[in-house]
Amino acid sequence: MLNLRSPIVVHALIAITSFLVLSSVLFFLLYNTYELKNQHYYLAEKKSIEEEYGRNVRDDKLFPGGAHIIESYVIPHMLELEQQYHTNPKGFNELRQRLMDSIFAALKKANSVDSILEQASQKYQLRRDLSYALTFQVLNVNFRNSEKGITLFNIREQNPLIKSVPLMQDGALVGGTLQERNKQNQITNLTVSSGGDYTYTIVYSLHVDTANRKVAILRLMLPNLLLSLFSILAVVTIYFITFRNWQKQKKLSEMKSDFINSITHEFHTPLSAIFVANKSLRNERIIANQQNIPALTDVIQRQAERLKHLIGQVLNITTLGQIPLNAKPHSLHALLEEIMLDYRLKVAGSNIHLTFIKEATRDAAMVDQFWFTTLMLNMLDNGVKYNTQSEKLLTVKTTSDKKYCYISIADNGIGMNKETRERVFEKFYRSIKNNNQQIKGLGLGLYYAKQAADAHQWKINVQSTPGEGSMFIITIPL
């Protein structure tokens, strides 16, 4: 699960939120800039084209000759349209659509708006790639007396029989290819009518624009776009550098804390053994037997060397993040005998009973003696620390097969639930309480044990039931 209290997660959320806010503000500013340029874009050219177009169609409709084409179809059919309108509405509907289909076909064929735009381009030195759309919206006719405004064509009505031109949402497209038609690129929208009987009224529009208006405007905005992108990249880069430096400082701080914690945890066992051996050497009853003295001095020598080695090793694991091994062939039984001897001396006079069972028939393996000792001592300490029995029992047992030697460390402690078993090797993990008092320790013992096993490429498995103790099994290749 995502830990929302983690400093990294908090910083990430703040960074993402800030980035979204900054991006939204920049997008809003760019959008307003685009709308402003869109409103003023093509303003001078629009006036020039409007002037040239108006001069060419001043006494005409749509384009030069357009009025003659419309009248050549409408006027001869006026009486027939009037009769059908009064006597046969269905026939009138079909007649008007066929008539409009013929008108649109003739207008499309005779369309000369291209020539008008060419003239305007030459006259006003317009160098842009222009597209246009000439759309026809309405044609109404006036019959005799009060019968006025009878619709022959309206883009809002159904006209399924008209096939000669595309019927768009804003009108019948009788010329041009411009797809996006709006107020910004509208040159003219005219309603031309005449009074009297048997006359007509038409509504049409002309839109002219560059072939791709949006791309052209975005090109004009390119400096603004590049500056915005540069600003975002600069902010992201600065934040990334700052965040990376913060992580480095945080890592250095954690390394210092780890080093102190490691010393506190790892130095405890050899120091305890030295104190016990030294105390024994000062006991007249013990040193009366001269055979005890070499064994005790060996313990002091061995643990002093371990302390010396420990200083360098702990520094390595905290600065390098990994364990440097010096593995050599060893007898696991011989190493375990030494570890058991030192540990028995440490817990002498307590309620801790340590048993060593050697059932392995093969015990030779590549081992770093220092880290194997660290592993075993931490396993034994764990079995003692998390144990509330009046007699704390620890059993170390070896078995073997053709490929592996197995070392099991069993205790009669408080055991572990499923969650604890899954997290027991995590650094600083501590979840178990004893009589409502937090058990002393830093949560590093089993972490170091796992680190040592991983460095050897060994495996550690744990079997445990709450209230019934735990057993750790180390699998070592022979």
Side-chain angles (χ1 to χ4, degrees), residues 349-413:
S350 67
N351 62 341
I352 301 170
H353 300 280
L354 182 61
T355 303
F356 181 30
I357 302 173
K358 296 184 286 185
E359 292 187 359
T361 57
R362 304 174 63 197
D363 69 330
M366 295 296 295
V367 180
D368 183 306
Q369 183 176 357
F370 173 82
W371 283 109
F372 178 70
T373 302
T374 298
L375 186 158
M376 290 302 303
L377 290 177
N378 282 321
M379 289 288 188
L380 294 171
D381 283 341
N382 186 77
V384 172
K385 186 182 299 183
Y386 297 98
N387 197 323
T388 59
Q389 301 293 334
S390 57
E391 284 190 322
K392 301 179 181 181
L393 306 179
L394 297 176
T395 302
V396 178
K397 181 179 179 180
T398 65
T399 57
S400 64
D401 56 24
K402 293 181 179 180
K403 293 184 178 180
Y404 302 99
C405 180
Y406 305 94
I407 301 176
S408 63
I409 304 97
D411 62 64
N412 64 336

Side-chain angles (χ1 to χ4, degrees), residues 277-428:
N278 183 62
K279 185 178 180 180
S280 299
L281 286 173
R282 298 173 66 181
N283 188 319
E284 294 182 0
R285 184 174 58 83
I286 294 176
I287 63 176
N289 185 351
Q290 294 295 317
Q291 293 181 353
N292 292 332
I293 296 176
L296 293 172
T297 56
D298 285 345
V299 169
I300 294 174
Q301 177 67 26
R302 191 160 52 245
Q303 296 302 327
E305 290 179 355
R306 177 171 173 76
L307 279 173
K308 181 180 178 181
H309 193 189
L310 191 61
I311 294 174
Q313 293 289 3
V314 171
L315 183 60
N316 284 334
I317 193 172
T318 54
T319 56
L320 299 178
Q322 59 184 5
I323 293 176
L325 285 187
N326 182 23
K328 297 179 180 179
H330 281 282
S331 166
L332 294 173
H333 285 164
L335 293 177
L336 289 170
E337 288 283 5
E338 284 187 0
I339 295 170
M340 296 298 105
L341 174 62
D342 292 351
Y343 202 79
R344 285 192 179 95
L345 181 61
K346 173 185 173 182
V347 299
S350 67
N351 62 341
I352 301 170
H353 300 280
L354 182 61
T355 303
F356 181 30
I357 302 173
K358 296 184 286 185
E359 292 187 359
T361 57
R362 304 174 63 197
D363 69 330
M366 295 296 295
V367 180
D368 183 306
Q369 183 176 357
F370 173 82
W371 283 109
F372 178 70
T373 302
T374 298
L375 186 158
M376 290 302 303
L377 290 177
N378 282 321
M379 289 288 188
L380 294 171
D381 283 341
N382 186 77
V384 172
K385 186 182 299 183
Y386 297 98
N387 197 323
T388 59
Q389 301 293 334
S390 57
E391 284 190 322
K392 301 179 181 181
L393 306 179
L394 297 176
T395 302
V396 178
K397 181 179 179 180
T398 65
T399 57
S400 64
D401 56 24
K402 293 181 179 180
K403 293 184 178 180
Y404 302 99
C405 180
Y406 305 94
I407 301 176
S408 63
I409 304 97
D411 62 64
N412 64 336
I414 60 178
M416 293 177 277
N417 57 26
K418 182 180 179 182
E419 179 187 358
T420 303
R421 289 197 305 271
E422 292 175 350
R423 300 186 59 190
V424 70
F425 296 112
E426 290 182 13
K427 194 175 187 179
F428 302 122

